[in-house]
Amino acid sequence: MAEPNRRSAAVPNDLEAFWVPYTPNRAFKRAPRLIARAKDMHYYTPEGRAVLDGTAGLWCTNAGHNRAPIVEAIKRQAEELDYAPAFQFAHPKSFELASRIAALAPADLDRVFFCNSGSEAVDTALKIALAYHNVRGQASRTRLIGRERGYHGVGFGGISVGGIVSNRKHFGALLAGVDHLPATYNREHQAFTKGEPDWGAHLADDLERLVALHDASTIAAVIVEPMAGSTGVLPPPKGYLERLRAICDRHGILLIFDEVITGFGRLGHAFAAERYGVTPDMITFAKGITSGAVPMGGVIAREGIYDAFMRGPEHVAELFHGYTYSAHPLACAAGLATLDLYRDEKLFERAKALEPRFADAAMSLKSVPGVLDIRTVGLTAGIDLASRPDAFGKRAYEAMERGFHDEGVMIRITGETLALTPPLIVSEAQIGEIFDKVARVIKAVM
Ligand SMILES: Cc1ncc(COP(=O)(O)O)c(C=O)c1O
């Protein structure tokens, strides 16, 4: 196992000033995992050691790292226009990018509101849902429904509808009037399924129970990740999303798909909505829109939602919401170049074509001791490990450390689950390499 690295010339100082997010700071600062450079499928440490990126950064660098067309577009934009006010003014690329995103989104999901992250996208979508009912004279629709094990970022809206206990328990009472659907995962019925499990569509019917409890006239929206990513890769059961859509339609409830992870090719389509043939009322996106190169997020809304706001005096903003950096010029330039790359290199189609190979490679770890379940969908796999007694999450943490320091592979962890979600440019040989390394890592931590 790697030793603390503080004496390395590459470590800039005692590391104390930076409070590292979502990271055990004391352990990290004893043995930091520093990344100085990246290209295509690899990260490089300050010492120049290559680390194969099994996670597309944080599920975001779908086009691979430091791709020349994206880098060039950002450079050109920085020279041309650094910033334009996001309110009352706009720059041309924001309209261009919105049209390109609308063209990729299904049906009449044609209006795009920009922000800077997935968390902001979620809070924006929840606010639009509340305001939409309000402007239509249904102001009693204030309840928001999320799902257990859901992850919707870290804003107060997102953690309220989210369902991961550690993200909620220290932060007070959260938003009032939120309820949750049950999680869709059941190991007994679903273990070692490739793609969407057969069991579990009926869990969508729990929404009828919530409607009966609260009354539809009080419910504004339901938000779910089509594939729950951050909780450990939970593909939706076959038929589940269709059922959720039907129940929402029956009761006039908006359906929001949080596609911050599933957007831009992760599941072999521009959006998971397309893969599942289910059209939500809003889609949240972030991450893959710029392949992680510049922060950007947004909400795609159905035309009818936007239209409902287009009333009142014409000199007054229709929606009192926005961010200083909404549709930032650098992000728009990066987004346009990224969408060009996805199109020109057919990366969504590539993800779809590689899915069976990826699933087979992941499932080859089924017999590794300590592996309790493996789930795959698109270019994504979740591998559940048996916990050490009284130390939930420690084995996965050690796997991540060992992967980085000893095997040269980046692994994402959540609880006791390893998530593998490489950039969509991953080659078949690299898929094999990722899972060979992960198998060695798991054996080493058992
Ligand atoms: C589904 C989902 N929603 C929202 C977010 C939050 O995005 P961000 O970290 O950009 O705020 C994430 C991040 O992983 C996510 O997976």
Side-chain angles (χ1 to χ4, degrees), residues 22 58-59 116-122 150-155 223-230 258-262 284-287 296-297 412:
Y22 264 131
L58 268 179
W59 317 75
N116 310 286
S117 67
S119 299
E120 289 180 358
V122 166
Y151 183 66
H152 300 291
V154 294
I223 182 166
V224 292
E225 303 157 88
M227 179 274 296
S230 294
D258 185 347
E259 297 229 29
V260 166
I261 279 178
T262 54
T284 54
F285 67 88
K287 298 188 188 269
M296 175 171 247
R412 173 103 188 106

